[in-house]
Amino acid sequence: MLHHRLPSSALAAASLDMLECHGRSDPAASGQYLALFQVCASTPRRCLCALRMAHRHGRPPPARPGPRLGPHRTLLLSREERPGGTPTGAQDSLHGFSQAFSHLTIQPSHLNILAELPPNMKILLLQHSEDGSELYGAFYEVTRAPKQKGKTAQGTGSLACTRVAKVPVRPRALLALRGRTRAFGLEARLSLAERGSEERRGLPGDAAAEETLGRHFRDVVRDMDDYLNPLLTQFDFSCFRPQASSPPVPEMTKAKDKEEKGSSAKFPAEPGECVVLLADRKLLQLPLEALTVLQGGGLSSLSRDFSLQLLHSRLNREEPDKGSRGRWSRSQLT
């Protein structure tokens, strides 16, 4: 299916059908098709944005650079109208015009991306249906081998979707939530400008205004939780909470510990989880990092991206050293 360069609209419909067929009975497959649906649902819009950015900040020829974007935009839009997609020559022209386009074009190897991502991250994917009446979610983490006697469960070394869920939502509720978020953003920018002006004049800050701004932000977060919780409560996010770990105590120290009942050794906590949020364009306008389920204190890195494919392309811009796969630095995840 991915090797035939079908229009992204056709791929989106096919991936959604496959998602509904597998459902919860096969979360690994459902998660693959939901990730594919997410990148298909928004590829044309993001490609056009990438082309505009490349045209604006790239290095076009000095003579009449302006009209260059027009033919490429036409080719991109025609890709959705042609049953067989864009002709090969036009496709190559788009790739040559912008490297960003090559990252946004749906790759034939999309279903193998999870195996190439660092296993020390977890991914939460949120995506609306095309008409906005349903909200899908998926959680990706390292799959665990069955626990054996005397041993802890071990990861298999690659990410996989462990849970998928779907809930009905009201598009008007999301529209209202986005409106409140934009209003808060405007209020925050005005407050920041006023505070800067007061600092330049040597005046104290307005504590009442700061408190009002904080209250409005909490209201936005509460409404965002109310909108997303019907979906998020179907997932197990216990891994986001800090886990206290105690290494085994040697036999020779047990007697000493009994004598010193009032003292106990303190050990450093395990490193927190690296989590990436993949959400559709409408949800990315919300302060998703403030979700209550992400405030457990067990996260060492929290970032966001547009899709699984874009996350993969970003992480692979700088290849890790040989032998270091499996542990990526925090800077590569944020």
Side-chain angles (χ1 to χ4, degrees):
M1 179 174 65
L2 295 178
H3 291 275
H4 297 291
R5 293 185 176 181
L6 297 175
S8 58
S9 57
L11 286 176
S15 57
L16 190 59
D17 287 342
M18 295 297 293
L19 168 63
E20 294 290 348
C21 288
H22 288 282
R24 295 184 180 181
S25 61
D26 190 352
S30 297
Q32 292 275 21
Y33 289 112
L34 179 57
L36 179 59
F37 172 72
Q38 184 177 69
V39 69
C40 290
S42 54
T43 290
R45 183 185 299 272
R46 289 178 187 154
C47 284
L48 283 174
C49 180
L51 287 174
R52 293 191 186 102
M53 293 297 292
H55 176 70
R56 185 180 307 170
H57 302 292
R59 291 177 293 181
R64 301 181 62 186
R68 290 189 65 196
L69 182 58
H72 292 88
R73 181 180 185 276
T74 302
L75 290 173
L76 179 59
L77 293 177
S78 67
R79 185 184 185 187
E80 292 302 300
E81 299 172 357
R82 296 173 181 269
T86 310
T88 303
Q91 184 86 355
D92 294 339
S93 176
L94 287 170
H95 281 275
F97 177 76
S98 171
Q99 186 179 5
F101 179 83
S102 64
H103 291 308
L104 291 169
T105 304
I106 301 169
Q107 303 298 327
S109 60
H110 189 282
L111 297 180
N112 299 322
I113 286 179
L114 282 175
E116 300 176 5
L117 292 177
N120 64 311
M121 71 162 56
K122 289 177 170 57
I123 299 174
L124 175 61
L125 188 152
L126 303 171
Q127 173 67 40
H128 283 93
S129 61
E130 292 181 338
D131 62 359
S133 64
E134 293 177 317
L135 176 62
Y136 294 89
F139 189 56
Y140 305 79
E141 58 185 335
V142 173
T143 54
R144 301 289 178 179
K147 187 175 181 180
Q148 298 178 0
K149 186 176 181 180
K151 297 182 179 180
T152 58
Q154 300 293 325
T156 61
S158 62
L159 295 176
C161 181
T162 56
R163 176 74 173 176
V164 292
K166 178 182 72 172
V167 294
V169 291
R170 294 185 298 112
R172 288 187 178 181
L174 178 59
L175 185 63
L177 177 57
R178 292 168 58 201
R180 288 192 290 273
T181 302
R182 286 193 295 270
F184 168 78
L186 177 60
E187 182 183 6
R189 288 191 293 273
L190 291 175
S191 176
L192 184 61
E194 292 175 359
R195 185 173 61 183
S197 176
E198 291 171 352
E199 290 178 351
R200 287 191 295 272
R201 290 181 293 170
L203 300 176
D206 189 345
E210 292 292 331
E211 176 59 28
T212 299
L213 189 64
R215 184 174 65 253
H216 289 174
F217 180 73
R218 290 191 293 271
D219 291 342
V220 170
V221 173
R222 181 200 60 211
D223 294 341
M224 180 176 62
D225 278 332
D226 291 342
Y227 181 81
L228 293 175
N229 273 344
L231 177 77
L232 297 179
T233 52
Q234 301 185 47
F235 294 90
D236 179 13
F237 294 133
S238 59
C239 59
F240 292 169
R241 296 190 289 270
Q243 302 291 330
S245 61
S246 298
V249 180
E251 290 291 336
M252 60 184 300
T253 62
K254 289 184 178 181
K256 184 178 180 180
D257 290 340
K258 291 180 180 180
E259 295 176 357
E260 302 176 357
K261 294 181 180 180
S263 63
S264 59
K266 295 183 179 181
F267 302 97
E270 290 291 331
E273 302 288 351
C274 299
V275 178
V276 179
L277 300 173
L278 303 180
D280 59 38
R281 180 178 57 87
K282 296 178 180 179
L283 289 175
L284 285 176
Q285 298 174 7
L286 307 180
L288 297 174
E289 291 80 2
L291 283 167
T292 302
V293 297
L294 301 176
Q295 306 309 310
L299 304 183
S300 64
S301 174
L302 179 60
S303 57
R304 57 167 67 190
D305 214 322
F306 295 101
S307 68
L308 190 65
Q309 180 170 284
L310 271 175
L311 173 64
H312 176 262
S313 66
R314 292 184 205 277
L315 292 178
N316 282 278
R317 285 176 184 173
E318 295 182 4
E319 291 291 337
D321 296 335
K322 291 183 179 180
S324 64
R325 187 187 183 280
R327 298 302 301 177
W328 289 52
S329 66
R330 186 180 304 181
S331 62
Q332 289 174 292
L333 298 176
T334 55

